[in-house]
Amino acid sequence: MKIPGIASAVPLSLVFLALMVLGSYGRAQVSEQMTPLLLAVQDAPVPFTGSDGRVHLVYELEMTNFSSAEILVEKVEVFDDGVSLQTLDTTAVAERLQPAGMRESVGTLARSTRALLFLNVVLAPGAKVPAELSHRVALRVSAAPAGQQEFDQSGGKTTVDRRPVASIGPPLRGMRYISADSCCDAVRHTRAALPVNGRVWVAQRYAVDWEQTDAGGHIYAGPRDKLESYAIFGQPVLAVANAVVVSVIDGEPEQTPGNYPTNIPLDKADGNSIILDLGHQRYALYAHMQPGSLKVHRGDKVQLGQVIGLVGDTGNSVVPHLHFQVTDGPSSLSSNGLPYEISEFQVTGATAGTKAFDEAESNGTPLPITPVAPPHTVKQAMPLDQLIISFAPH
Ligand SMILES: [Zn+2]
């Protein structure tokens, strides 16, 4: 194979890259460019209003390095009809780009690697919701000839999914709840992309692990390994809408708080759990409840606010908490997370972040909280990550 300017002995990978930088040879009627980084969006974002009053577009931009060389992703821009909505610089990309099956993020994609860039596009106040999004990515391909290593690539067009967002009631009642690992930049739920039944799903995209503090800011007081030490243990769990029960799992034993359970099979990870059919292809999952506390059966109709169980520590759970999520299917893993908006709640504070929360949860020390005074009443919004929240009655 003879390529102008390239020695015939060079590896095929470099020929490939040379083709990319040399462009077309004039035979094709349309302009052709090698695009070693393939961009795609599998699940269109569903816009929703967060408790910050802003509209968020949360989705994953899939990147495939279809080459035999490393690619550094230097910049990613998100566009609405040619207008830039968000720019991620090299550092921001490196915090949000995760190779398939990895929990660690990277800035450089190894050869032949597929990855997801987890995006949270926050619209300016009052801005119209885009109909379609597109992307421009600035790359550095180290194996390309000097001076031709950096170039831009566009792709990953997606529509914006304008299906109505579920409006629901609160899953709990009372004060001082923590919206742990909620949307949109926390990693443990929003980035839980899992290959199940032949497809990648992000069922936990908008999941929350609800925890609670006592009046002194402690997540637990007393022995760490005792269920009753935890402020949230035994709190009533509420139906978030008039709904039909489609799945009930009961009989799973409590874990010992503070210990990560081992060898939990996939079908027992939710512990004692309930899935409600909210209608319009939306399903609410409640996980980790107390054994024997589930008050409903498959096929039952429940009413908004009805107590359906008690908060426990069953399944894949390290401390008592309520895992709550809404998805587009009646399963906890092979479905896609959907946003929802809670009709009304109060934000009374914000924690110092996930790291501080993890420390308070481990050590039983007071959770550092910046109060919101007076408390901020929020209507029709999703509680964002690491807020202190009261639900009526409070
Ligand atoms: Zn969870």
Side-chain angles (χ1 to χ4, degrees), residues 180-181 189 204 207-209 288 321-325:
D181 292 309
H189 287 142
Q204 301 181 18
V208 180
D209 282 343
H288 314 305
H321 73 287
L322 175 68
H323 172 105
F324 177 82
Q325 67 186 32

Side-chain angles (χ1 to χ4, degrees), residues 7-134:
S8 58
V10 299
L12 196 61
S13 61
L14 290 183
V15 173
F16 173 89
L17 286 165
L19 280 167
M20 178 178 73
V21 296
L22 289 172
S24 74
Y25 294 132
R27 274 193 295 178
Q29 295 304 303
V30 293
S31 149
E32 291 177 322
Q33 183 198 11
M34 294 295 273
T35 52
L37 191 71
L38 300 174
L39 304 172
V41 174
Q42 182 175 234
D43 303 313
V46 180
F48 66 93
T49 303
S51 51
D52 57 358
R54 307 282 288 272
V55 173
H56 295 249
L57 298 162
V58 173
Y59 63 105
E60 304 83 39
L61 177 61
E62 183 187 312
M63 297 184 172
T64 304
N65 178 355
F66 204 101
S67 83
S68 56
E70 272 189 353
I71 296 179
L72 169 64
V73 182
E74 294 185 317
K75 188 165 86 169
V76 175
E77 288 172 281
V78 182
F79 292 96
D80 165 20
D81 199 19
V83 177
S84 178
L85 293 177
Q86 189 177 69
T87 300
L88 277 71
D89 63 14
T90 310
T91 306
V93 170
E95 289 169 352
R96 291 179 168 273
L97 183 62
Q98 292 184 193
M102 303 284 283
R103 281 299 197 160
E104 299 78 24
S105 55
V106 299
T108 300
L109 278 183
R111 61 186 185 173
S112 310
T113 297
R114 186 173 169 190
L116 294 176
L117 182 71
F118 291 89
L119 289 164
N120 169 27
V121 176
V122 187
L123 300 184
K128 79 168 179 58
V129 175
E132 191 178 79
L133 301 173
S134 60

Side-chain angles (χ1 to χ4, degrees), residues 3-288:
I3 305 292
I6 303 283
S8 58
V10 299
L12 196 61
S13 61
L14 290 183
V15 173
F16 173 89
L17 286 165
L19 280 167
M20 178 178 73
V21 296
L22 289 172
S24 74
Y25 294 132
R27 274 193 295 178
Q29 295 304 303
V30 293
S31 149
E32 291 177 322
Q33 183 198 11
M34 294 295 273
T35 52
L37 191 71
L38 300 174
L39 304 172
V41 174
Q42 182 175 234
D43 303 313
V46 180
F48 66 93
T49 303
S51 51
D52 57 358
R54 307 282 288 272
V55 173
H56 295 249
L57 298 162
V58 173
Y59 63 105
E60 304 83 39
L61 177 61
E62 183 187 312
M63 297 184 172
T64 304
N65 178 355
F66 204 101
S67 83
S68 56
E70 272 189 353
I71 296 179
L72 169 64
V73 182
E74 294 185 317
K75 188 165 86 169
V76 175
E77 288 172 281
V78 182
F79 292 96
D80 165 20
D81 199 19
V83 177
S84 178
L85 293 177
Q86 189 177 69
T87 300
L88 277 71
D89 63 14
T90 310
T91 306
V93 170
E95 289 169 352
R96 291 179 168 273
L97 183 62
Q98 292 184 193
M102 303 284 283
R103 281 299 197 160
E104 299 78 24
S105 55
V106 299
T108 300
L109 278 183
R111 61 186 185 173
S112 310
T113 297
R114 186 173 169 190
L116 294 176
L117 182 71
F118 291 89
L119 289 164
N120 169 27
V121 176
V122 187
L123 300 184
K128 79 168 179 58
V129 175
E132 191 178 79
L133 301 173
S134 60
H135 308 87
R136 184 167 66 205
V137 181
L139 311 177
R140 174 187 284 269
V141 184
S142 53
Q148 297 175 324
Q149 295 181 338
E150 291 182 288
F151 58 96
D152 290 348
Q153 225 190 270
S154 296
K157 261 192 188 169
T158 179
T159 55
V160 172
D161 185 339
R162 298 306 305 271
R163 75 178 77 186
V165 173
S167 174
I168 62 172
L172 295 157
R173 62 186 178 216
M175 304 166 66
R176 297 186 301 270
Y177 287 104
I178 310 156
S179 53
D181 292 309
S182 185
C183 201
C184 306
D185 300 314
V187 302
R188 289 190 282 235
H189 287 142
T190 310
R191 301 191 189 178
L194 295 173
V196 183
N197 295 355
R199 185 204 200 270
V200 174
W201 308 90
V202 190
Q204 301 181 18
R205 193 182 278 122
Y206 304 100
V208 180
D209 282 343
W210 289 105
E211 295 199 22
Q212 191 179 29
T213 75
D214 62 15
H218 301 89
I219 293 171
Y220 70 90
R224 185 187 180 195
D225 59 358
K226 203 160 167 263
L227 294 163
E228 291 75 16
S229 299
Y230 290 77
I232 199 169
F233 183 72
Q235 288 286 2
V237 173
L238 310 179
V240 294
N242 298 339
V244 178
V245 178
V246 290
S247 167
V248 176
I249 296 173
D250 202 347
E252 293 302 315
E254 297 281 16
Q255 305 292 356
T256 302
N259 293 330
Y260 284 95
T262 52
N263 299 322
I264 301 274
L266 209 54
D267 61 350
K268 297 199 187 315
D270 295 333
N272 302 314
S273 56
I274 292 173
I275 297 177
L276 299 182
D277 181 349
L278 309 180
H280 308 284
Q281 285 188 296
R282 302 169 184 137
Y283 299 85
L285 167 73
Y286 305 75
H288 314 305

